[in-house]
Amino acid sequence: MAMLPLILQEETLDLERARLEALRRREQDRAKRFMNAKNRSIGIDKSYLDRQIEEKRQLELAQREEKLAEAENLKHLVQCLDNNEAEVQEARQRSLNEIKRSLDEQTKQPKNNALKDGPLDLANCGPSSLQCFSGEDHAQGTRKKAQQDQVKLWCAEYMVEKKRALDAERREEQDYANYVLEQDIIRSQLEEESKRKKDEEARLRQMENLEYARQARQRKEHEMEADNEAQRLQSHYLQTCPLLTEDTRLATNVNAKHRFRPDHFKGFQKDHVKQLYRENDAVVCEKREISNREANLEANWAKYHDQVVDKMRDAEEARQRMVAEENRVQMEILGQQKKENKEAELERNRHPEIGWNSSRDLVSLAGDKTSLD
């Protein structure tokens, strides 16, 4: 009974140390992340706040489970104490009942009915006349009361320690809340300064962009005017240039009328074009005839190939029939030999005096006869 509160206190202290160590580790990680300029962001870190709220909720759930576990442990402790007390009371009642039964039995004996007045006669006195026994516990009530006071003291110390831990946790949470509030104030100041600088930069950038837009608009207008002038000149050149027109007289050589200039060639005459068409038609007819001859050659080759395949198939079938016929003749010869062997065996059995050599000669003669046949 005395070890249960000590075990509970040790478990509670271990849980409290683990919780404080986890809280200290989270604070160190958060400070390290806050001091890291690469990961630190100006403004509200919503993802971290959500994660912090979730961690706090998980911590509250864990604390609630720890409180429930502690309540269950206390309940179990009280139940164990009640059960032990009930067992002690029951054992004491059984002992009293046994003593009463023994006393009742003793009072029925004659030696235990001695007179109370007069001198004490030990011969007429029984065990009930004894006033003090060896091993009797006179301080049982005081010891029990001391044990109960000790249990109450342990429970009070446990409650005080628990309250002290809760107060320390509340102070840490308040300090952390103040720390977060100061960070939010500093963050808001930094955000306002950053916003002011961004607004100033945006205003300067807007003025620069307006100037750039005006210059770009002027440059685009000059380019459009230059493009329009170039298109006008190009259109005039295309309309008046003799090289780009369909005038065939430009290809005639001024020195020789029967010759033309290759760089100013505009096309053939109609008769020459007709002659080119007739030559092309002749070439197409020749290609078609060649294609027909090749198709006929392929068809003849396919027909020849089919004939060769049919002949090879017929030859293979004839060979298979010949092999089957030879196998059938061989089977008949083997059957005839088996029959003659059986006849020779029967003949040897009918004439045992012929001997093994004679019967073997008969079998060999029968085999020779069969082979000759």
Side-chain angles (χ1 to χ4, degrees):
M1 293 174 60
M3 294 298 294
L4 288 175
L6 293 176
I7 295 173
L8 292 175
Q9 285 183 356
E10 291 177 358
E11 292 179 354
T12 305
L13 291 176
D14 293 338
L15 293 174
E16 188 67 20
R17 281 195 293 269
R19 188 184 65 80
L20 293 176
E21 182 65 25
L23 183 61
R24 189 179 299 107
R25 193 162 48 248
R26 286 198 300 271
E27 286 295 332
Q28 292 177 358
D29 295 339
R30 187 175 185 277
K32 186 184 298 183
R33 185 173 61 255
F34 182 75
M35 296 302 294
N36 190 357
K38 294 182 178 179
N39 297 329
R40 186 177 61 213
S41 60
I42 302 300
I44 298 175
D45 192 357
K46 188 176 182 303
S47 61
Y48 178 74
L49 291 177
D50 294 338
R51 187 167 65 253
Q52 185 179 7
I53 292 171
E54 181 64 22
E55 291 177 356
K56 188 172 182 180
R57 189 178 65 83
Q58 295 293 337
L59 182 60
E60 290 177 356
L61 291 176
Q63 290 177 357
R64 190 179 296 111
E65 291 178 356
E66 290 177 1
K67 291 179 181 179
L68 292 175
E70 291 175 1
E72 289 292 333
N73 292 331
L74 290 175
K75 183 178 179 181
H76 181 68
L77 176 61
V78 173
Q79 186 176 1
C80 291
L81 293 174
D82 294 338
N83 292 333
N84 292 333
E85 184 67 22
E87 291 178 356
V88 171
Q89 292 290 341
E90 186 178 358
R92 185 182 301 164
Q93 188 64 33
R94 285 199 304 270
S95 178
L96 291 175
N97 294 332
E98 184 67 24
I99 292 172
K100 288 181 180 180
R101 186 180 61 79
S102 178
L103 290 174
D104 293 336
E105 292 179 355
Q106 292 293 330
T107 53
K108 294 178 180 180
Q109 296 180 5
K111 65 178 180 179
N112 292 328
N113 293 324
L115 297 176
K116 297 180 180 180
D117 299 332
L120 182 62
D121 188 2
L122 295 179
N124 295 324
C125 294
S128 60
S129 60
L130 297 177
Q131 300 298 321
C132 182
F133 299 93
S134 177
E136 185 177 358
D137 188 6
H138 296 282
Q140 191 268 343
T142 305
R143 186 177 64 257
K144 180 180 178 183
K145 186 66 170 60
Q147 291 176 354
Q148 292 176 352
D149 293 339
Q150 183 66 31
V151 172
K152 290 180 181 180
L153 179 60
W154 285 337
C155 293
E157 290 177 354
Y158 172 73
M159 296 301 293
V160 170
E161 184 67 24
K162 184 177 179 181
K163 183 178 180 182
R164 187 182 299 110
L166 291 174
D167 294 338
E169 183 180 358
R170 291 193 185 94
R171 285 195 300 272
E172 291 177 358
E173 291 180 354
Q174 184 63 33
D175 295 339
Y176 178 72
N178 295 332
Y179 174 70
V180 173
L181 183 60
E182 292 177 358
Q183 286 185 348
D184 293 337
I185 294 172
I186 296 172
R187 188 181 295 111
S188 63
Q189 294 175 357
L190 294 174
E191 287 178 355
E192 291 177 358
E193 183 67 21
S194 177
K195 184 177 180 182
R196 187 181 61 78
K197 291 182 179 179
K198 287 182 179 178
D199 293 340
E200 184 67 22
E201 292 177 357
R203 187 178 63 81
L204 295 175
R205 194 178 299 110
Q206 184 179 7
M207 295 177 63
E208 293 177 358
N209 292 333
L210 292 175
E211 181 64 23
Y212 291 154
R214 186 184 64 79
Q215 296 176 3
R217 186 167 57 253
Q218 291 180 356
R219 186 168 55 254
K220 188 175 181 181
E221 290 176 357
H222 294 319
E223 291 177 356
M224 289 179 64
E225 292 176 358
D227 291 340
N228 292 331
E229 184 65 20
Q231 289 180 2
R232 187 183 64 78
L233 295 175
Q234 185 179 6
S235 177
H236 178 72
Y237 173 76
L238 292 176
Q239 292 176 2
T240 59
C241 180
L243 182 62
L244 301 176
T245 60
E246 295 298 331
D247 190 4
T248 58
R249 292 175 299 177
L250 186 64
T252 305
N253 195 337
V254 296
N255 296 325
K257 299 295 183 181
H258 64 280
R259 301 180 65 182
F260 64 90
R261 298 173 59 182
D263 55 341
H264 291 76
F265 179 70
K266 297 295 182 179
F268 295 107
Q269 298 294 329
K270 293 183 179 180
D271 296 338
H272 194 184
V273 171
K274 291 180 180 179
Q275 181 64 26
L276 292 176
Y277 283 161
R278 286 193 294 270
E279 291 177 358
N280 290 334
D281 292 338
V283 172
V284 170
C285 292
E286 184 180 357
K287 288 183 178 180
R288 187 180 296 111
E289 291 177 358
I290 292 173
S291 178
N292 292 331
R293 285 198 301 271
E294 290 178 354
N296 293 330
L297 182 61
E298 290 291 336
N300 294 331
W301 172 252
K303 185 176 179 181
Y304 172 73
H305 182 268
D306 294 337
Q307 291 176 359
V308 171
V309 171
D310 293 337
K311 289 180 181 180
M312 292 178 66
R313 187 184 302 109
D314 296 337
E316 181 66 20
E317 291 177 355
R319 187 184 66 79
Q320 291 179 359
R321 286 194 298 271
M322 184 182 296
V323 171
E325 183 66 23
E326 290 178 357
N327 292 334
R328 186 183 62 78
V329 172
Q330 290 292 334
M331 292 298 293
E332 290 179 357
I333 292 172
L334 290 174
Q336 186 66 25
Q337 289 179 358
K338 289 181 180 179
K339 183 177 180 181
E340 291 177 356
N341 289 333
K342 289 181 179 180
E343 291 178 356
E345 183 69 23
L346 294 174
E347 185 68 24
R348 188 174 66 252
N349 293 332
R350 285 197 301 269
H351 303 284
E353 66 278 1
I354 294 175
W356 169 253
N357 293 328
S358 299
S359 61
R360 185 173 57 186
D361 294 338
L362 291 174
V363 172
S364 62
L365 289 174
D368 295 337
K369 182 180 178 180
T370 304
S371 61
L372 290 174
D373 295 338

